[in-house]
Each structure stands twice: as C-alpha cells, then as structure tokens.
Amino acid sequence: MAVAARSGDSDFHRQLHDALGNTDALLQRECLQLTADDIRCELYRSASASDPLVIFFPGLSAYVELYAGMLASLAEEGFNVVGVDPPGHGYSGGTAGSYLPEDIQRITSQLLDVLEDEFSGPKVAFGHSVGGMLAVAAAEHDPRIEAVICQTLLVTEVPPDWWHFWGWQWIRASSQWLPQWQVPLDSVLDFRQLISGHPAEDLLQRDPLLIMAYPLRTLAGLFSHRTGVMRQAYPFRLLVIQGDADTVLSLSYAQRVVEQAVHPIEVITVSGQGHMLPLQSPLKLTGIVGKWLRKAL
C-alpha cells in the first residue's frame, strides 16, 4: 500500500464538494494506493486502531470521494473506514467502468491482508446501491468479514420486475459478442433523476469522473452474479437499510429478497428517504449504521 496523491482539489471539484458538504470531511482522509492493482482507497481513522474497520463500496457511476461526508461522520462514530474505488472508477486505474464482482472479492482480500495488522477490530463490508451487492460478495469470499451493511440490496435471483429480467437476459447474451460495447448508464439507472433537487445536482451532472457508460462485460458480470446468501447461511450478520421512498429498489422488493433468502437478513426502513440516502442524508445514515454495528459486533 502506497500513499496516493490527494485529489478533488481542482476548482471544479472544490465547488462540487462545497455543494455536497464534503469540504471539511476531505481534510480528515488519507489517500492510499493498493499498488498491486492500482486501486485507490481513502481512509478515515477513528480514535483507536482497535475500533472496527469498515470497507465501503460506492454505487454505479460514483467514486469514494463523493461520500466523504458520510465516511468521515462514520469515523466520528467510532469506526475506521476505508472506501475503495473499483477498477476503472474515480482515481483507480483500469479501463473506465470495467470490473467484475470477482475483482472486488480479490481486491478486498488483498486490502484486508495489508490493513489487518494495523486495524485489529472486527471487519465490516458496507455498500451503497450496487456496492451493497459487492459488499455481500466480499463477505461471502472472505471469512474475516463479520458484518455486512447494504444501503439497498439487489440480487439477480429476484428481478425487481419483468423489464429488469428481460433486460438482464439481453445484456448477458449481447456481452458474449460485444463485451466492450458501451451501454449508457441511463439505460439501467436514471442517475440525473436520483440527484434531482440536491444542491450539487448541476455540478454532479458535469463531473468528469462519473462513469456515464459501462461496457457490456461489466453489466453482464453484475447482473449474472449469484448471491450466496440466497442459497445458504453464512457466519456474518447482514443488514439492509431501505428508504421507503426509493424508486430504484422499493421497500416491497427488499421484503421479497428477505423472504426468499436462506441467510437471515435484517431490514431497517428509513421514512421519507430514497435511493441516494448517503448523499441526501449522510448523518442520518451513519447514525443508523453506527447504532446497528455497536449491537451486531
């Protein structure tokens, strides 16, 4: 692990982080590089290295720096937090938008290998949106992870509707012939609608670091991934935090996943909140996360 250059200090990104409320939080981070894969990580320390270590994964299009306010407030709650930019996202190396869940599993284990001597507390995986799927995949792969938190959880065994089911079938089939063909993000997720009304809305739409198109290979990998918790129980605790106003993955969808899963899943419903809870109400989210982790670990 090497020290990475700081970032987010261009005029544009200073304006963006002011609008996101991240400016003070970014002063608390340490920027690190997992050199084996050129993976960028951002570390927020708590008061003690023996506090739990939370590994965070962002959602589609996004990168860790955007979540600075949430990650810093979670560190203030008594958790060491390290956010990971997946390959081809944010400040990590790789082809834009190109990775598979298996890559995240391998990178997470490498990261734990590097950090576990310094951070002796329990290990936690935490993800937003698609990052929730990745957090579960990491925990299924590495038994050192004792708890998983998903701010919404998508599992391909339970399609939200027929539109998703047939869309995933098309993506899987097409990726066999055109794996690098670029699919606009808005064909699978209306990011602009999700950030509508946020003070940073206009700036986010112009952020050059956001991934606005994905190779078919990446989408096929995500939407073909089979989640182990649907078939078996694991030693880790699993929480889904679900906004009742989420228009991407609804509360009723979360309930269907819980009913069909073999592994026990706890659900905390957040009234009046949608899919972008980490950006819209970061302090509310970290309060929920911190309270649950203190009981679960």
Side-chain angles (χ1 to χ4, degrees):
M1 183 78 78
V3 177
R6 301 185 73 85
S7 44
D9 56 358
S10 67
D11 287 341
F12 173 84
H13 281 99
R14 280 195 291 270
Q15 293 178 48
L16 173 60
H17 289 297
D18 282 345
L20 288 169
N22 285 345
T23 301
D24 291 339
L26 289 171
L27 299 176
Q28 302 175 40
R29 68 178 172 168
E30 298 174 34
C31 301
L32 307 172
Q33 205 82 9
L34 190 62
T35 52
D37 289 277
D38 193 24
I39 297 300
R40 164 63 170 260
C41 306
E42 302 197 359
L43 173 64
Y44 292 82
R45 295 180 183 270
S46 71
S48 173
S50 63
D51 288 334
L53 175 66
V54 179
I55 301 175
F56 175 76
F57 305 99
L60 276 180
S61 181
Y63 54 102
V64 169
E65 196 174 76
L66 298 178
Y67 299 83
M70 181 189 72
L71 302 184
S73 65
L74 189 55
E76 292 172 0
E77 289 268 346
F79 302 93
N80 295 291
V81 186
V82 58
V84 181
D85 279 340
H89 287 71
Y91 300 100
S92 284
T95 303
S98 183
Y99 73 96
L100 297 173
E102 295 79 6
D103 297 323
I104 301 303
Q105 290 175 322
R106 174 177 47 81
I107 288 165
T108 302
S109 292
Q110 291 175 352
L111 182 61
L112 286 173
D113 290 343
V114 171
L115 296 180
E116 66 178 348
D117 287 342
E118 180 178 1
F119 298 102
S120 58
K123 309 305 186 286
V124 178
F126 175 24
H128 170 227
S129 190
V130 160
M133 175 196 290
L134 300 176
V136 173
E140 292 171 351
H141 177 73
D142 197 310
R144 289 173 289 186
I145 297 173
E146 299 180 31
V148 180
I149 300 173
C150 307
Q151 205 275 290
T152 72
L153 175 60
L154 174 69
V155 298
T156 60
E157 294 86 346
V158 186
D161 50 41
W162 282 104
W163 182 88
H164 282 83
F165 175 80
W166 290 115
W168 293 347
Q169 299 301 313
W170 178 86
I171 287 171
R172 292 164 186 163
S174 300
S175 69
Q176 301 298 313
W177 304 98
L178 296 167
Q180 299 306 319
W181 191 58
Q182 297 290 308
V183 179
L185 178 66
D186 59 12
S187 67
V188 296
L189 180 73
D190 190 348
F191 181 78
R192 291 176 175 82
Q193 188 274 330
L194 293 179
I195 60 173
S196 178
H198 192 285
E201 175 185 356
D202 292 340
L203 290 163
L204 282 168
Q205 292 190 37
R206 294 188 283 116
D207 185 355
L209 287 179
L210 289 175
I211 302 297
M212 302 310 292
Y214 276 87
L216 270 172
R217 174 180 178 270
T218 298
L219 297 178
L222 290 171
F223 300 142
S224 298
H225 177 72
R226 291 294 182 253
T227 309
V229 297
M230 302 306 291
R231 302 185 302 276
Q232 69 180 82
Y234 291 83
F236 57 79
R237 298 277 298 272
L238 174 56
L239 171 69
V240 173
I241 300 174
Q242 178 69 48
D244 67 358
D246 195 326
T247 58
V248 177
L249 295 173
S250 66
L251 177 57
S252 63
Y253 175 77
Q255 292 166 341
R256 286 168 52 207
V257 171
V258 171
E259 289 169 359
Q260 296 183 39
V262 173
H263 183 94
I265 302 176
E266 302 172 57
V267 177
I268 294 177
T269 303
V270 189
S271 177
Q273 295 293 328
H275 197 71
M276 300 303 286
L277 180 56
L279 299 187
Q280 299 283 9
S281 301
L283 299 184
K284 180 186 287 289
L285 179 56
T286 54
I288 295 168
V289 169
K291 182 178 180 180
W292 184 80
L293 283 176
R294 282 187 286 272
K295 292 180 179 179
L297 296 176

